Amino acid sequence: MTINLQKNLLCFSHLRWDFVFQRPQHLMTRFAGIANVYFLEEPIFDCPGIPYLTFEKKLEKLWVCVPHLPAGVTPAEVTQMTRSLLNSFFKDHDCNDFIFWYYTPMAFEFSNSFTPKMVVYDCMDELSAFKFAPPRIRHIEQQLLRQADVVFTGGASLYEAKKASHHNIHSFPSSIDKAHFQAARAAMPEPEDQAGINGIKMGFYGVIDERFDQELIREISATRPDWQIVLIGPVVKIDPEMLPRADNIHYLGSKSYHELPSYLSGWDLALIPFLLNESTRFISPTKTPEYLAAGKPVVSTAIRDVVFPYGETGLVSIGDDAETFISAIEYELKKNTDRLWLHAVDAFLSDKSWENTFAAMVELMVMAGQQNNSVVLVSELKNAS
C-alpha cells in the first residue's frame, strides 16, 4: 500500500515533547518515518530581546521547536510575535509542502494566515473544560474546524460531542504499544524508589492535576492502611501541598515512558482515580489499555470512555464512589489475574496498536487529500512502521 502526503508536517501542541509521552509523541514519531516533523511547542517567556525560535533534533526527521518571547507580553503580542516567527520559518520552507496538524486550537490564532496543503485537527481532549483554559478557545476552535480537512477525536464520547461540527470527523480512542507494556507481565527488577515499598501495591501514573480525585485517594488510604498507593507523574495546576499525605501514599515523581513497565510489574493492581466533572467528561485515558496490556487488574471511576467498552465487557472494574471503589479493589485482589480474564484482555487488544491507528489516520488523510487534489508525495507505508 502506498501513501500520498506532503513531505513536511508542522504539529501545533499545547503539550511539551518531554513532558509525558502520550498520543502526540506516539503519532509524531510514526509520521517522522514518512515526513519531516516539526513539533511546535507553546512559547517560553525567557527572551530579553528579539524573539527567536529554537530547534532541537529528537529523531532523524523530527525537531522540537520552541518560540522564545519576552516576559510580560500580552496575549495579542504573543500571537503577533509567534506569527512573525512562523513567517521567518516559511521564508526557508514551502508552506505548500506542509500538513498543519493541530492539538491546540489556540495555535490557529497565529497560523491562520498560512496556506498549507492540508489541515488536520486531532482533538485529543476537550481543552475548553480544562483548568485555566483561555475563554476564547471555543470560538477559535470553530474557526479551526471550518478550515480542517479532517478531524480526529481522542475517544468515543468526544466524537459524539463533536460529530456535528465537521463533515469528515473520525473517532480514534487511545491506543497501545503492546510489546512495551506486556514486558510488565514478567517479573522485572523493581526500581529503587519502589522496591522498598512492601505490601499490596496499587498504582497510578499520569499527570496529577485538577482531574485527579484527591479525596478518593485520601479515603482509600485511610480505610485500608495496609494498601500501598504508588502515584507516578508530575503535579500541575494544583497545589502540591493540598495532596493527600499518609505513610501508605507514595509520590514518586515523573518517570520516563521507558521506565513505566518496571514500575507496573511490581503492582498488584492499577488505578484510574479521576473525578467526574467537565474536565473528565470526554477523556479517554491512554493508561487503560496500557495497564491491561501489562496484565494488571484495573479499577476506575466511572469515566464514560472507560465504562464503555472496558467496564461493560468486564475488563475493568468501576467504582462510583469511595465505598464501591474500595469494594472493587477488594474484588479484583481476590480474583487475582485469572487466565480467562487475561485471554479476554488479549482478545480485546488484538487489533489495537498505535501502528494501526497511524495507518488508519494516514488513509483518511490521503482520501481527504485526493478530494482536495493535494497529493504531492508518494511513500511506502511499511517504511513508517
mmCIF file of all heavy atoms in Angstrom, residues 285-314:
data_model
loop_
_atom_site.group_PDB
_atom_site.id
_atom_site.type_symbol
_atom_site.label_atom_id
_atom_site.label_comp_id
_atom_site.label_asym_id
_atom_site.label_seq_id
_atom_site.Cartn_x
_atom_site.Cartn_y
_atom_site.Cartn_z
ATOM 1 N N PRO A 285 -8.650 7.767 28.759
ATOM 2 C CA PRO A 285 -7.296 7.600 29.311
ATOM 3 C C PRO A 285 -6.460 6.561 28.569
ATOM 4 O O PRO A 285 -6.850 5.391 28.471
ATOM 5 C CB PRO A 285 -7.559 7.172 30.755
ATOM 6 C CG PRO A 285 -8.942 7.641 31.062
ATOM 7 C CD PRO A 285 -9.690 7.523 29.768
ATOM 8 N N THR A 286 -5.321 6.990 28.064
ATOM 9 C CA THR A 286 -4.397 6.080 27.394
ATOM 10 C C THR A 286 -3.931 4.973 28.327
ATOM 11 O O THR A 286 -3.637 3.855 27.889
ATOM 12 C CB THR A 286 -3.179 6.861 26.874
ATOM 13 O OG1 THR A 286 -3.629 7.945 26.071
ATOM 14 C CG2 THR A 286 -2.258 5.988 26.058
ATOM 15 N N LYS A 287 -3.883 5.278 29.619
ATOM 16 C CA LYS A 287 -3.380 4.299 30.577
ATOM 17 C C LYS A 287 -4.277 3.074 30.697
ATOM 18 O O LYS A 287 -3.816 2.026 31.142
ATOM 19 C CB LYS A 287 -3.178 4.953 31.945
ATOM 20 C CG LYS A 287 -4.424 5.581 32.539
ATOM 21 C CD LYS A 287 -4.128 6.299 33.851
ATOM 22 C CE LYS A 287 -3.151 7.414 33.711
ATOM 23 N NZ LYS A 287 -3.538 8.475 32.776
ATOM 24 N N THR A 288 -5.547 3.146 30.298
ATOM 25 C CA THR A 288 -6.423 1.990 30.433
ATOM 26 C C THR A 288 -5.894 0.791 29.651
ATOM 27 O O THR A 288 -5.641 -0.272 30.240
ATOM 28 C CB THR A 288 -7.867 2.323 29.999
ATOM 29 O OG1 THR A 288 -8.276 3.545 30.584
ATOM 30 C CG2 THR A 288 -8.818 1.215 30.414
ATOM 31 N N PRO A 289 -5.704 0.904 28.326
ATOM 32 C CA PRO A 289 -5.147 -0.249 27.612
ATOM 33 C C PRO A 289 -3.709 -0.570 28.001
ATOM 34 O O PRO A 289 -3.286 -1.727 27.915
ATOM 35 C CB PRO A 289 -5.257 0.150 26.135
ATOM 36 C CG PRO A 289 -5.313 1.641 26.145
ATOM 37 C CD PRO A 289 -6.034 2.010 27.405
ATOM 38 N N GLU A 290 -2.956 0.435 28.445
ATOM 39 C CA GLU A 290 -1.574 0.167 28.870
ATOM 40 C C GLU A 290 -1.551 -0.696 30.123
ATOM 41 O O GLU A 290 -0.788 -1.670 30.214
ATOM 42 C CB GLU A 290 -0.845 1.488 29.101
ATOM 43 C CG GLU A 290 -0.599 2.275 27.817
ATOM 44 C CD GLU A 290 -0.004 3.643 28.044
ATOM 45 O OE1 GLU A 290 0.053 4.100 29.207
ATOM 46 O OE2 GLU A 290 0.404 4.280 27.050
ATOM 47 N N TYR A 291 -2.372 -0.355 31.112
ATOM 48 C CA TYR A 291 -2.476 -1.167 32.324
ATOM 49 C C TYR A 291 -2.877 -2.600 31.975
ATOM 50 O O TYR A 291 -2.327 -3.574 32.509
ATOM 51 C CB TYR A 291 -3.547 -0.594 33.261
ATOM 52 C CG TYR A 291 -3.220 0.693 33.993
ATOM 53 C CD1 TYR A 291 -4.253 1.445 34.562
ATOM 54 C CD2 TYR A 291 -1.930 1.158 34.140
ATOM 55 C CE1 TYR A 291 -4.005 2.617 35.253
ATOM 56 C CE2 TYR A 291 -1.664 2.336 34.825
ATOM 57 C CZ TYR A 291 -2.704 3.065 35.383
ATOM 58 O OH TYR A 291 -2.451 4.223 36.080
ATOM 59 N N LEU A 292 -3.863 -2.728 31.089
ATOM 60 C CA LEU A 292 -4.358 -4.057 30.724
ATOM 61 C C LEU A 292 -3.297 -4.859 29.971
ATOM 62 O O LEU A 292 -3.135 -6.057 30.209
ATOM 63 C CB LEU A 292 -5.622 -3.931 29.876
ATOM 64 C CG LEU A 292 -6.857 -3.399 30.606
ATOM 65 C CD1 LEU A 292 -7.990 -3.153 29.625
ATOM 66 C CD2 LEU A 292 -7.310 -4.369 31.704
ATOM 67 N N ALA A 293 -2.585 -4.216 29.068
ATOM 68 C CA ALA A 293 -1.522 -4.908 28.348
ATOM 69 C C ALA A 293 -0.460 -5.434 29.303
ATOM 70 O O ALA A 293 0.151 -6.483 29.061
ATOM 71 C CB ALA A 293 -0.892 -3.979 27.322
ATOM 72 N N ALA A 294 -0.265 -4.708 30.410
ATOM 73 C CA ALA A 294 0.696 -5.142 31.432
ATOM 74 C C ALA A 294 0.165 -6.301 32.263
ATOM 75 O O ALA A 294 0.888 -6.851 33.101
ATOM 76 C CB ALA A 294 1.051 -3.971 32.344
ATOM 77 N N GLY A 295 -1.106 -6.663 32.043
ATOM 78 C CA GLY A 295 -1.697 -7.777 32.777
ATOM 79 C C GLY A 295 -2.148 -7.425 34.170
ATOM 80 O O GLY A 295 -2.306 -8.319 35.017
ATOM 81 N N LYS A 296 -2.374 -6.142 34.422
ATOM 82 C CA LYS A 296 -2.772 -5.710 35.758
ATOM 83 C C LYS A 296 -4.279 -5.486 35.843
ATOM 84 O O LYS A 296 -4.861 -4.852 34.961
ATOM 85 C CB LYS A 296 -2.052 -4.406 36.137
ATOM 86 C CG LYS A 296 -0.530 -4.532 36.169
ATOM 87 C CD LYS A 296 -0.071 -5.607 37.146
ATOM 88 C CE LYS A 296 1.424 -5.830 37.082
ATOM 89 N NZ LYS A 296 1.856 -6.926 37.981
ATOM 90 N N PRO A 297 -4.926 -5.983 36.912
ATOM 91 C CA PRO A 297 -6.329 -5.630 37.133
ATOM 92 C C PRO A 297 -6.444 -4.118 37.289
ATOM 93 O O PRO A 297 -5.540 -3.469 37.821
ATOM 94 C CB PRO A 297 -6.673 -6.347 38.445
ATOM 95 C CG PRO A 297 -5.619 -7.380 38.620
ATOM 96 C CD PRO A 297 -4.389 -6.843 37.961
ATOM 97 N N VAL A 298 -7.568 -3.569 36.820
ATOM 98 C CA VAL A 298 -7.752 -2.121 36.817
ATOM 99 C C VAL A 298 -9.069 -1.768 37.499
ATOM 100 O O VAL A 298 -10.099 -2.398 37.248
ATOM 101 C CB VAL A 298 -7.764 -1.561 35.380
ATOM 102 C CG1 VAL A 298 -7.907 -0.037 35.399
ATOM 103 C CG2 VAL A 298 -6.497 -1.966 34.628
ATOM 104 N N VAL A 299 -9.016 -0.756 38.373
ATOM 105 C CA VAL A 299 -10.226 -0.196 38.966
ATOM 106 C C VAL A 299 -10.248 1.289 38.612
ATOM 107 O O VAL A 299 -9.268 2.006 38.820
ATOM 108 C CB VAL A 299 -10.280 -0.395 40.483
ATOM 109 C CG1 VAL A 299 -11.536 0.264 41.062
ATOM 110 C CG2 VAL A 299 -10.265 -1.880 40.827
ATOM 111 N N SER A 300 -11.388 1.736 38.085
ATOM 112 C CA SER A 300 -11.519 3.113 37.621
ATOM 113 C C SER A 300 -12.787 3.737 38.166
ATOM 114 O O SER A 300 -13.762 3.043 38.481
ATOM 115 C CB SER A 300 -11.562 3.141 36.083
ATOM 116 O OG SER A 300 -11.816 4.445 35.591
ATOM 117 N N THR A 301 -12.770 5.059 38.276
ATOM 118 C CA THR A 301 -14.027 5.773 38.474
ATOM 119 C C THR A 301 -14.823 5.680 37.165
ATOM 120 O O THR A 301 -14.319 5.208 36.146
ATOM 121 C CB THR A 301 -13.772 7.240 38.859
ATOM 122 O OG1 THR A 301 -12.854 7.817 37.907
ATOM 123 C CG2 THR A 301 -13.175 7.340 40.248
ATOM 124 N N ALA A 302 -16.060 6.148 37.190
ATOM 125 C CA ALA A 302 -16.973 5.905 36.066
ATOM 126 C C ALA A 302 -16.770 6.880 34.907
ATOM 127 O O ALA A 302 -17.710 7.542 34.436
ATOM 128 C CB ALA A 302 -18.413 5.953 36.567
ATOM 129 N N ILE A 303 -15.539 6.964 34.420
ATOM 130 C CA ILE A 303 -15.251 7.737 33.213
ATOM 131 C C ILE A 303 -15.943 7.050 32.038
ATOM 132 O O ILE A 303 -15.773 5.846 31.830
ATOM 133 C CB ILE A 303 -13.732 7.823 32.974
ATOM 134 C CG1 ILE A 303 -13.031 8.529 34.144
ATOM 135 C CG2 ILE A 303 -13.425 8.515 31.656
ATOM 136 C CD1 ILE A 303 -13.457 9.945 34.370
ATOM 137 N N ARG A 304 -16.700 7.813 31.267
ATOM 138 C CA ARG A 304 -17.550 7.202 30.242
ATOM 139 C C ARG A 304 -16.764 6.325 29.269
ATOM 140 O O ARG A 304 -17.195 5.218 28.924
ATOM 141 C CB ARG A 304 -18.293 8.292 29.475
ATOM 142 C CG ARG A 304 -19.238 7.733 28.424
ATOM 143 C CD ARG A 304 -19.949 8.832 27.670
ATOM 144 N NE ARG A 304 -20.765 8.270 26.595
ATOM 145 C CZ ARG A 304 -21.379 8.987 25.666
ATOM 146 N NH1 ARG A 304 -21.289 10.294 25.702
ATOM 147 N NH2 ARG A 304 -22.083 8.405 24.718
ATOM 148 N N ASP A 305 -15.610 6.794 28.808
ATOM 149 C CA ASP A 305 -14.848 6.021 27.828
ATOM 150 C C ASP A 305 -14.068 4.874 28.455
ATOM 151 O O ASP A 305 -13.425 4.100 27.732
ATOM 152 C CB ASP A 305 -13.902 6.940 27.046
ATOM 153 C CG ASP A 305 -14.632 7.719 25.956
ATOM 154 O OD1 ASP A 305 -15.880 7.656 25.917
ATOM 155 O OD2 ASP A 305 -13.961 8.396 25.149
ATOM 156 N N VAL A 306 -14.134 4.751 29.785
ATOM 157 C CA VAL A 306 -13.616 3.563 30.453
ATOM 158 C C VAL A 306 -14.759 2.576 30.702
ATOM 159 O O VAL A 306 -14.631 1.374 30.462
ATOM 160 C CB VAL A 306 -12.907 3.914 31.782
ATOM 161 C CG1 VAL A 306 -12.427 2.651 32.484
ATOM 162 C CG2 VAL A 306 -11.726 4.846 31.524
ATOM 163 N N VAL A 307 -15.895 3.108 31.153
ATOM 164 C CA VAL A 307 -17.075 2.254 31.354
ATOM 165 C C VAL A 307 -17.445 1.554 30.054
ATOM 166 O O VAL A 307 -17.727 0.351 30.033
ATOM 167 C CB VAL A 307 -18.264 3.083 31.880
ATOM 168 C CG1 VAL A 307 -19.526 2.228 31.964
ATOM 169 C CG2 VAL A 307 -17.937 3.676 33.254
ATOM 170 N N PHE A 308 -17.453 2.309 28.954
ATOM 171 C CA PHE A 308 -17.741 1.767 27.621
ATOM 172 C C PHE A 308 -16.503 1.938 26.757
ATOM 173 O O PHE A 308 -16.143 3.064 26.428
ATOM 174 C CB PHE A 308 -18.932 2.490 26.982
ATOM 175 C CG PHE A 308 -20.159 2.543 27.829
ATOM 176 C CD1 PHE A 308 -20.474 3.701 28.528
ATOM 177 C CD2 PHE A 308 -20.992 1.435 27.956
ATOM 178 C CE1 PHE A 308 -21.610 3.764 29.318
ATOM 179 C CE2 PHE A 308 -22.119 1.491 28.749
ATOM 180 C CZ PHE A 308 -22.436 2.656 29.437
ATOM 181 N N PRO A 309 -15.768 0.883 26.443
ATOM 182 C CA PRO A 309 -16.189 -0.518 26.494
ATOM 183 C C PRO A 309 -15.594 -1.355 27.628
ATOM 184 O O PRO A 309 -16.021 -2.481 27.836
ATOM 185 C CB PRO A 309 -15.659 -1.046 25.167
ATOM 186 C CG PRO A 309 -14.356 -0.307 25.008
ATOM 187 C CD PRO A 309 -14.580 1.072 25.588
ATOM 188 N N TYR A 310 -14.607 -0.828 28.364
ATOM 189 C CA TYR A 310 -13.840 -1.679 29.274
ATOM 190 C C TYR A 310 -14.673 -2.225 30.438
ATOM 191 O O TYR A 310 -14.562 -3.396 30.803
ATOM 192 C CB TYR A 310 -12.631 -0.912 29.817
ATOM 193 C CG TYR A 310 -11.674 -0.457 28.757
ATOM 194 C CD1 TYR A 310 -11.675 0.866 28.301
ATOM 195 C CD2 TYR A 310 -10.742 -1.332 28.206
ATOM 196 C CE1 TYR A 310 -10.800 1.296 27.323
ATOM 197 C CE2 TYR A 310 -9.851 -0.916 27.235
ATOM 198 C CZ TYR A 310 -9.882 0.400 26.788
ATOM 199 O OH TYR A 310 -9.006 0.824 25.824
ATOM 200 N N GLY A 311 -15.483 -1.357 31.034
ATOM 201 C CA GLY A 311 -16.291 -1.797 32.162
ATOM 202 C C GLY A 311 -17.384 -2.754 31.756
ATOM 203 O O GLY A 311 -17.607 -3.791 32.394
ATOM 204 N N GLU A 312 -18.084 -2.459 30.674
ATOM 205 C CA GLU A 312 -19.222 -3.290 30.258
ATOM 206 C C GLU A 312 -18.795 -4.678 29.806
ATOM 207 O O GLU A 312 -19.595 -5.609 29.828
ATOM 208 C CB GLU A 312 -20.013 -2.587 29.155
ATOM 209 C CG GLU A 312 -19.270 -2.428 27.849
ATOM 210 C CD GLU A 312 -20.137 -1.837 26.749
ATOM 211 O OE1 GLU A 312 -21.351 -1.659 26.986
ATOM 212 O OE2 GLU A 312 -19.610 -1.559 25.654
ATOM 213 N N THR A 313 -17.543 -4.817 29.389
ATOM 214 C CA THR A 313 -17.047 -6.130 28.971
ATOM 215 C C THR A 313 -16.331 -6.884 30.090
ATOM 216 O O THR A 313 -15.821 -7.979 29.866
ATOM 217 C CB THR A 313 -16.086 -5.982 27.774
ATOM 218 O OG1 THR A 313 -15.032 -5.071 28.118
ATOM 219 C CG2 THR A 313 -16.820 -5.462 26.548
ATOM 220 N N GLY A 314 -16.289 -6.281 31.283
ATOM 221 C CA GLY A 314 -15.683 -6.952 32.421
ATOM 222 C C GLY A 314 -14.171 -6.913 32.462
ATOM 223 O O GLY A 314 -13.548 -7.616 33.272
#
